[in-house]
């Protein structure tokens, strides 16, 4: 059994298409198909349902692909350990983050890259929390930044980073812009743009609106916090945004932010890595950075605010 055959199987499971899997592995489709046939012969079980086109993995194939992901991850971890012993940490680290936290990731990647100059960091922003956890389990990510809620199970290690709180973002001409606070019930009556219901950040907001005894009816939905700012700028919309994003954009000209109360809420956000041994060298290194970096204090500093 060759590592390359396992890579082909994992790619086919991910791409669900022979041609795309072959392209991802930089081989021809016949070469990939033949390698998988040889793997089936060696294991003496069928792995792929074959018809006129790809029809999925067999039950045996679904089980084997889990082992393949684990074996390949352990191989990569071993190579990383050897590289660290020889010349320091190098390679590529993969981070996934939910949209509301993607602006906070720079607080970790900056010091990480300074400490490990041979590492390239790949950040996948605007991910759903469930996809981050799944990809951590499937060895497709080294670390994630997401909400520390009940769906982050015992299969993960976490490092709290900050507590997400919320402000109402609106144009300076809006009557609420002159207030020191606004209630969630008042926000629900505005023409809101919000994240899509599939995003956990949206589900958090829906829970907070429900606690206030109200339900918003957004006219526009998006999977990007940056898009929320862009739509509020047009003057037609308002949005509820995480305060941490003010560290990225500040309060743009012509807009105002008003803290939301009744209820006042702060939801924990943190670094999440898979709980396995020996685990990813990259994940351990990023965890060390997270534990020594005061992300919460950094995110309180709003650009252009002389009071901070």
């Amino acid at each position: 059994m060759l590592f390359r055959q396992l890579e082909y199987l994992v790619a086919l499971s991910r791409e669900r298409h022979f041609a795309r899997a072959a392209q991802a592995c930089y081989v021809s489709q016949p070469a990939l198909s033949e390698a998988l046939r040889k793997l089936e012969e060696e294991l003496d079980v069928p792995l792929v349902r074959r018809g006129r086109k790809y029809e999925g993995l067999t039950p045996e194939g679904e089980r084997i692909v889990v082992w393949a992901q684990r074996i390949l991850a352990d191989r990569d971890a071993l190579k990383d350990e050897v590289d660290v012993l020889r010349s320091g940490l190098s390679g590529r680290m993969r981070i996934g983050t939910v949209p509301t936290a993607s602006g906070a990731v720079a607080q970790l990647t900056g010091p990480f890259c300074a400490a490990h100059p041979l590492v390239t960091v790949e950040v996948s922003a605007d991910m759903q929390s469930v996809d981050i956890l799944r990809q951590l389990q499937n060895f497709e990510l080294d670390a994630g930044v997401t909400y520390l809620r009940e769906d982050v199970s015992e299969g993960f290690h976490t490092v709290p980073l900050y507590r997400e709180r919320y402000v109402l973002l609106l144009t300076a001409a809006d009557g609420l812009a002159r207030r020191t606070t606004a209630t969630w019930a008042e926000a629900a009556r505005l023409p809101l743009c919000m994240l899509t219901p599939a995003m956990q950040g949206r589900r958090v907001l829906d829970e907070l609106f429900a606690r206030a005894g109200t339900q918003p009816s957004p006219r526009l939905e998006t999977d990007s916090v940056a898009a929320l700012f862009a739509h509020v700028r047009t003057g037609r919309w308002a949005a509820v945004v995480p305060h941490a994003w003010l560290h990225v954009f500040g309060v743009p000209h012509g807009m105002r932010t008003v803290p939301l109360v009744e209820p006042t809420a702060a939801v924990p956000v943190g670094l999440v890595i898979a709980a396995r041994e020996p685990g990813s060298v990259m994940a351990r290194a990023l965890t060390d950075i997270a534990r020594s970096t005061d992300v919460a204090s950094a995110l309180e500093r709003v650009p252009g605010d002389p009071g901070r």
Side-chain angles (χ1 to χ4, degrees), residues 173-197:
D174 193 292
L176 286 177
R178 295 185 290 274
R179 299 262 298 273
T180 57
T181 62
T183 68
W184 289 86
E186 289 171 326
R189 293 193 289 269
L190 297 175
L192 290 177
C193 50
M194 299 182 69
L195 294 177
T196 61

Side-chain angles (χ1 to χ4, degrees), residues 67 72 78 90 126 215 247:
W67 280 100
L72 293 173
L78 174 59
S90 62
D126 298 347
Q215 181 178 355
H247 178 80

Side-chain angles (χ1 to χ4, degrees), residues 24-270:
C25 295
Y26 303 101
V27 296
S28 68
Q29 183 174 331
L32 181 137
S33 296
E34 180 60 23
L36 291 177
R37 287 186 186 278
K38 290 182 178 178
L39 182 60
E40 289 176 317
E41 292 175 1
E42 185 169 349
L43 296 175
D44 195 26
V45 291
L47 302 176
V48 182
R49 293 193 180 99
R50 289 181 174 87
R52 298 182 64 182
K53 60 181 181 179
Y54 175 75
E55 297 180 357
L57 298 181
T58 64
E60 296 88 346
E62 295 287 356
R63 290 294 303 154
I64 297 302
V65 79
V66 174
W67 280 100
Q69 290 169 329
R70 184 178 304 170
I71 291 168
L72 293 173
D74 286 344
R75 176 204 59 181
D76 293 341
L78 174 59
K79 291 169 62 178
D80 288 342
E81 290 279 6
V82 173
D83 288 342
V84 169
L85 294 172
R86 184 174 59 240
S87 58
L89 194 61
S90 62
R92 179 177 292 270
M93 181 177 66
R94 304 154 300 173
I95 305 173
T97 174
V98 293
T100 53
S102 57
V105 175
Q107 302 303 315
L108 299 180
T109 55
F112 179 89
C113 289
H116 306 288
L118 299 179
V119 176
T120 299
V121 178
E122 175 185 330
V123 177
S124 297
D126 298 347
M127 292 185 67
Q128 295 184 35
S129 179
V130 64
D131 291 331
I132 290 174
L133 300 182
R134 176 181 55 79
Q135 291 192 26
L136 286 171
Q137 290 176 322
N138 292 344
F139 310 95
E140 297 170 10
L141 290 174
D142 296 297
V145 178
T146 185
Y147 297 96
L148 301 184
R149 293 164 69 86
E150 61 277 359
D151 56 348
V152 181
S153 66
E154 296 180 356
F156 301 93
H157 294 316
T158 63
V159 180
L161 297 176
Y162 67 99
R163 298 184 69 83
E164 183 176 277
R165 53 191 177 86
Y166 306 95
V167 296
L168 182 63
L169 179 69
L170 32 69
T171 61
D174 193 292
L176 286 177
R178 295 185 290 274
R179 299 262 298 273
T180 57
T181 62
T183 68
W184 289 86
E186 289 171 326
R189 293 193 289 269
L190 297 175
L192 290 177
C193 50
M194 299 182 69
L195 294 177
T196 61
M199 312 304 296
Q200 187 163 3
R202 167 63 182 276
R203 296 196 293 273
V204 169
L205 295 186
D206 285 345
E207 291 172 8
L208 293 172
F209 277 115
R211 284 172 56 187
T214 188
Q215 181 178 355
S217 299
R219 296 280 306 281
L220 184 144
E221 296 175 331
T222 176
D223 63 356
S224 165
V225 176
L228 297 179
F229 277 80
H231 281 86
V232 173
R233 181 180 288 278
T234 68
R236 298 186 58 183
W237 316 93
V240 177
V241 298
H243 182 272
W245 269 85
L246 301 183
H247 178 80
V248 180
F249 291 142
V251 180
H253 178 71
M255 300 187 199
R256 297 290 185 273
T257 58
V258 181
L260 284 163
V261 296
E262 299 181 23
T264 299
V267 181
V269 175

